[in-house]
């Protein structure tokens, strides 16, 4: 991308102030760091909201912002919290209402702030009706998940149909896994690129330095070593809870620390059983900036993920976060990280998972990587490559 200031309208699937930042927020910040200006459009809701605290508080938050839907978050970055109906996207009246609540504010904002022919950078296809209101110079689909399988309760058929339309009109499609890239390339050969997920290498590498965290967090002091960590949402459609439960039972001397909250609305009997085990410790959600401090005092990190239609396309960001923190990683055979096979221990079964844990915790085997070997997997480096691909006239 050239040095001239550019404008970007970024359609996210996460709110700006979500507890853990993912591709959406980091990408917006990378644009701003380069001197460009960004309008970050928060999630329009890919599924029907549930009667739970998280969904209800989010609806209330949108109501309170009804008369100030667009706010300046920092220099060069604005956040749009559209008040839309987050379900029944097939319904003519729902689509009409949502279009009205988004198109006019977008058009006025782009006119006032001189977002002339901005780049549309989107993470979902539910913005297709808004393209004419924005008059973009280019359209980028940042494909980070198999959206049709991402969350229970989603209209998968509609998402697939709209996604195919988005792929056809996009100038570039950037995919975070080879599975996603292979699928998209069948429709958009030459416009589809593979850019795997990355991490804040600098922040997480602080866990390697004794001088940064000389005292462990108070809630870890009661948990004996060795400590096995899982970082992330405790989701019954992502995690292999049966595997975790059996490993906990067969290796009671290994203490598992779960950093994250249970997915809202789920009721899983296996997870409830795990909570009763003495060597399972649920630490709850932690501020993003504090996670390196917790990883500093862990013995080994895990990705005990189910292998299903959704996870086959998923590249967990925590993979490089773990590596940057200097931890050995044990993972089930996720397709997205296979290219990094030498950097972690792979385990398909309970027996293999236990063997990998024993190898690292009892026998001292290690596959820890040096920082120099993963420095290129940073947000800044990946953004540089994406923008180069965006500006290139050559298709792949």
């Amino acid at each position: 991308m050239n040095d001239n200031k550019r404008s970007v309208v970024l359609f996210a699937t996460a709110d700006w102030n979500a507890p853990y930042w993912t591709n959406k927020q980091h990408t917006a910040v990378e644009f701003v760091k380069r001197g460009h200006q960004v309008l970050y459009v928060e999630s329009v809701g890919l599924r029907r909201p549930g009667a739970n605290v998280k969904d209800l508080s989010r609806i209330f938050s949108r109501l309170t912002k009804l008369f100030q839907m667009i706010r300046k978050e920092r220099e060069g970055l604005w956040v749009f919290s559209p008040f839309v109906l987050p379900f029944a996207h097939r319904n003519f009246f729902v689509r009409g209402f949502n279009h009205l609540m988004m198109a006019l504010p977008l058009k006025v904002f782009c006119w006032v702030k001189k977002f002339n022919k901005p780049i549309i950078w989107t993470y979902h296809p539910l913005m297709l009706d808004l393209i004419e209101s924005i008059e973009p110079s280019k359209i980028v689909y940042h494909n980070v998940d198999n959206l049709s399988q991402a969350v229970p309760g989603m209209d998968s058929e509609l998402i697939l149909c709209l996604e195919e339309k988005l792929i056809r009109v996009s100038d570039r499609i950037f995919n975070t896994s080879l599975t996603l890239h292979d699928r998209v390339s069948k429709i958009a050969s030459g416009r589809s690129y593979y850019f795997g997920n990355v991490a804040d290498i600098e922040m997480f590498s602080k866990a390697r330095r004794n001088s940064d965290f000389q005292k462990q967090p108070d809630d870890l002091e009661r948990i004996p070593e060795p400590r096995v960590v899982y970082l992330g949402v405790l989701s019954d459609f992502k995690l292999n809870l049966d595997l975790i439960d059996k490993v906990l039972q067969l290796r009671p001397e290994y203490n598992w620390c779960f950093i994250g909250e249970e997915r809202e609305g789920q009721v899983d009997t296996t997870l409830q059983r795990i909570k009763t085990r003495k060597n399972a410790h649920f630490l709850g959600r932690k501020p993003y900036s504090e996670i390196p401090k917790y990883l500093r005092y862990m013995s080994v990190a895990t990705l005990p993920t189910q292998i299903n239609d959704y996870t086959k396309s998923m590249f967990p960001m925590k993979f490089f976060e773990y590596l940057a923190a200097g931890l050995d990683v044990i993972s089930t055979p996720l397709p997205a990280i296979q290219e990094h096979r030498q950097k972690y221990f792979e385990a398909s079964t309970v027996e293999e998972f236990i063997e990998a844990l024993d190898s690292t915790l009892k026998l001292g085997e290690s596959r820890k990587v040096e920082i120099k070997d993963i420095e290129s997997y940073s947000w800044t480096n990946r953004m540089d490559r994406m923008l180069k691909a965006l500006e290139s006239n050559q298709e792949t």
Side-chain angles (χ1 to χ4, degrees):
M1 181 171 287
N2 58 42
D3 293 332
N4 297 328
K5 179 185 285 189
R6 300 289 294 272
S7 300
V8 181
V9 179
L10 187 151
F11 291 92
T13 55
D15 290 348
W16 175 257
N17 290 321
Y20 298 130
W21 276 18
T22 57
N23 278 280
K24 300 87 182 179
Q25 296 93 336
H26 284 290
T27 298
V29 169
E30 287 298 327
F31 270 115
V32 172
K33 283 164 60 176
R34 289 162 172 76
H36 309 301
Q37 51 187 4
V38 178
L39 176 63
Y40 183 99
V41 184
E42 293 185 320
S43 174
V44 296
L46 297 175
R47 60 170 177 82
R48 182 182 293 274
N52 55 68
V53 174
K54 184 177 180 180
D55 284 352
L56 293 176
S57 63
R58 185 169 175 271
I59 292 171
F60 178 76
S61 176
R62 289 291 175 92
L63 280 170
T64 62
K65 298 171 183 173
L66 186 56
F67 298 104
Q68 191 184 3
M69 290 190 289
I70 300 180
R71 65 190 187 276
K72 188 172 184 178
E73 187 66 34
R74 59 177 70 180
E75 193 61 38
L77 190 144
W78 293 262
V79 174
F80 180 18
S81 303
F83 183 75
V84 295
L85 299 176
F87 56 91
H89 292 291
R90 292 176 184 268
N91 185 283
F92 174 81
F93 296 103
V94 169
R95 291 203 314 271
F97 175 81
N98 289 350
H99 182 78
L100 179 66
M101 296 301 289
M102 294 188 70
L104 184 58
L106 279 170
K107 200 171 186 68
V108 171
F109 176 87
C110 289
W111 178 72
V112 171
K113 297 299 182 182
K114 296 182 172 56
F115 272 48
N116 300 317
K117 294 190 176 300
I119 296 168
I120 286 181
W121 191 290
T122 186
Y123 291 86
H124 66 82
L126 295 177
M127 36 55 69
L128 286 169
D129 291 343
L130 299 168
I131 290 177
E132 291 183 2
S133 302
I134 299 172
E135 299 180 5
S137 59
K138 293 188 177 181
I139 301 174
V140 174
Y141 177 29
H142 197 173
N143 188 17
V144 300
D145 280 311
N146 183 352
L147 283 178
S148 65
Q149 302 289 331
V151 180
M154 193 178 298
D155 189 338
S156 300
E157 185 180 346
L158 176 64
I159 293 295
L160 279 172
C161 179
L162 292 177
E163 185 185 41
E164 182 171 333
K165 291 181 180 178
L166 174 59
I167 290 169
R168 293 189 185 282
V169 301
S170 294
D171 295 281
R172 294 288 184 270
I173 303 95
F174 298 144
N175 309 282
T176 57
S177 79
L178 287 170
T179 302
L180 292 172
H181 175 58
D182 291 343
R183 179 170 66 88
V184 170
S185 295
K186 295 175 182 177
I187 305 172
S189 178
R191 294 178 287 119
S192 179
Y193 291 73
Y194 166 59
F195 292 107
N197 264 337
V198 289
D200 190 334
I201 302 297
E202 182 179 356
M203 186 182 90
F204 280 87
S205 66
K206 292 178 181 178
R208 295 174 177 247
R209 301 192 289 268
N210 293 331
S211 58
D212 284 356
F213 306 117
Q214 295 185 9
K215 184 180 183 301
Q216 65 181 336
D218 293 341
D219 51 354
L220 287 184
E221 290 183 350
R222 60 180 176 80
I223 303 173
E225 295 181 345
R227 300 178 184 132
V228 179
V229 67
Y230 173 77
L231 169 65
V233 177
L234 305 175
S235 173
D236 56 358
F237 70 93
K238 291 183 184 180
L239 281 177
N240 189 332
L241 294 171
D242 285 330
L243 181 148
I244 293 171
D245 187 45
K246 287 176 176 132
V247 174
L248 282 163
Q249 183 180 10
L250 294 170
R251 285 294 184 273
E253 68 271 29
Y254 298 157
N255 286 281
W256 284 60
C257 299
F258 299 94
I259 302 176
E261 294 180 331
E262 188 173 356
R263 181 175 67 84
E264 286 280 359
Q266 77 178 19
V267 179
D268 190 279
T269 55
T270 305
L271 183 58
Q272 301 313 309
R273 184 166 63 250
I274 289 172
K275 289 180 179 179
T276 67
R277 298 207 179 277
K278 293 182 179 180
N279 56 332
H281 309 273
F282 293 83
L283 305 181
R285 189 179 71 204
K286 302 298 177 184
Y288 185 65
S289 60
E290 290 188 12
I291 293 175
K293 183 194 302 184
Y294 280 83
L295 296 184
R296 167 73 182 84
Y297 292 96
M298 298 298 166
S299 307
V300 65
T302 64
L303 286 168
T305 311
Q306 290 187 49
I307 307 300
N308 54 36
D309 288 341
Y310 172 67
T311 61
K312 285 177 182 176
S313 301
M314 182 184 77
F315 192 128
M317 282 174 39
K318 61 181 68 68
F319 177 68
F320 279 113
E321 293 172 348
Y322 286 156
L323 293 180
L327 290 170
D328 279 313
V329 178
I330 302 172
S331 176
T332 48
L334 283 170
I337 61 173
Q338 289 292 308
E339 64 179 304
H340 305 289
R341 187 66 186 81
Q342 300 305 313
K343 295 183 175 71
Y344 68 98
F345 293 88
E346 187 173 274
S348 301
T349 65
V350 171
E351 292 74 22
E352 290 177 356
F353 217 93
I354 288 175
E355 182 181 351
L357 283 170
D358 289 346
S359 295
T360 57
L361 299 176
K362 290 182 177 179
L363 302 179
E365 294 183 17
S366 178
R367 292 187 180 170
K368 292 179 183 178
V369 300
E370 300 293 332
I371 283 294
K372 63 181 178 61
D373 295 326
I374 56 172
E375 282 178 332
S376 61
Y377 298 100
S378 67
W379 295 108
T380 298
N381 183 281
R382 190 185 68 172
M383 192 64 173
D384 286 342
R385 291 183 287 126
M386 282 181 169
L387 295 181
K388 184 177 180 180
L390 179 58
E391 291 302 310
S392 171
N393 293 322
Q394 182 179 1
E395 294 186 345
T396 62

